[in-house]
């Protein structure tokens, strides 16, 4: 899955900005229907995290290439990325606190590093979603912030990175 995303789909999504709007709309619809389930891929292994990172990279390309239509999809994109961030935070706590895990294990360390990598890329993807999708994405962040369903730290991180990305998108 990762190879198909990185070698096949991502280069096509990067060229998306040069297409006419009608093609952009169709590719955005199909692209989101393929990418969002991969972002939601479950698992704590390095293989699962590789799929999530590749899907997030594809999402970033899709956001950039299909930006005119992406404002209509901000709510579902931000929701999916926030769910991934929340799950990754919980997975990190589980790995850190699991008494049965061998703390010196190379596999455990790789899983922890891959989880940290997913969080970094997901924060960037959430911030790009906030900048490109504007109101829909901001509505989700405001709801999460108001109801405390995600750590306040993540919402403020997304907003801070989003402010820095304003000049690039």
């Amino acid at each position: 899955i990762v190879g198909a995303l990185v070698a096949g789909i991502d280069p096509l999504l990067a060229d998306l900005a040069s297409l006419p709007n009608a093609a952009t709309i169709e590719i955005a619809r199909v692209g989101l229907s393929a990418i969002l389930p991969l972002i939601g891929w479950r698992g704590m292994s390095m293989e699962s995290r590789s799929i999530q990172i590749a899907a997030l990279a594809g999402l970033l390309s899709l956001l950039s290439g299909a930006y005119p239509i992406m404002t209509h999809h901000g709510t579902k994109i931000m929701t999916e990325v926030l769910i991934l961030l929340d799950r990754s935070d919980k997975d990190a706590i589980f790995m850190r606190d699991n008494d049965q895990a061998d703390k010196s294990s190379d596999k455990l360390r790789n899983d922890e590093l891959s989880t940290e990598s997913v969080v970094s890329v997901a924060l960037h993807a959430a911030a790009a979603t906030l900048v490109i999708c504007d109101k829909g994405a901001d509505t989700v962040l405001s709801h999460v912030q108001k109801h405390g369903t995600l750590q306040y730290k993540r919402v403020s991180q997304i907003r801070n990175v989003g402010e820095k990305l304003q000049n690039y998108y």
Side-chain angles (χ1 to χ4, degrees), residues 92-110 112:
I93 292 167
F94 174 78
M95 284 186 274
R96 187 177 53 240
D97 295 344
N98 190 358
D99 294 334
Q100 297 174 349
D102 178 11
K103 301 291 185 193
S104 64
S105 163
D106 284 341
K107 182 186 178 328
L108 178 64
R109 185 66 189 139
N110 287 340
E112 289 172 343

Side-chain angles (χ1 to χ4, degrees), residues 117-133:
S117 298
V118 164
V119 168
S120 295
V121 177
L123 285 171
H124 182 81
T129 301
L130 180 61
V131 171
I132 292 169
C133 300

Side-chain angles (χ1 to χ4, degrees), residues 60 63-64 66-68 70-71 127-135 169:
L60 287 166
L63 282 166
S64 297
Y67 67 89
M70 296 312 275
T71 57
T129 301
L130 180 61
V131 171
I132 292 169
C133 300
D134 198 27
K135 291 180 183 173
Y169 287 105

Side-chain angles (χ1 to χ4, degrees), residues 2-3 6-7 16-17 36 39 41 45 59 66 75 83 85-86 105 111 116 131 146 151 159 169:
V2 174
V6 172
L16 188 60
L36 291 180
I39 291 172
W41 193 279
S45 69
L59 175 64
T75 303
I83 289 169
L85 278 168
D86 187 54
S105 163
D111 290 348
E116 291 170 13
V131 171
K146 179 180 176 184
Q151 298 173 5
R159 291 192 188 282
Y169 287 105

Side-chain angles (χ1 to χ4, degrees), residues 4-74:
L5 275 172
V6 172
I9 296 173
D10 276 353
L12 295 174
L13 293 176
D15 290 337
L16 188 60
S18 64
L19 296 176
N21 280 346
T24 300
I25 291 168
E26 183 60 23
I27 292 173
R29 186 183 63 78
V30 173
L32 284 175
S33 67
I35 288 173
L36 291 180
L38 293 175
I39 291 172
W41 193 279
R42 298 204 179 269
M44 292 190 295
S45 69
M46 194 161 54
E47 293 78 14
S48 296
R49 298 301 186 197
S50 297
I51 292 168
Q52 293 165 340
I53 289 172
L56 288 166
L59 175 64
L60 287 166
S61 294
L62 187 61
L63 282 166
S64 297
Y67 67 89
I69 192 67
M70 296 312 275
T71 57
H72 300 290
H73 303 286

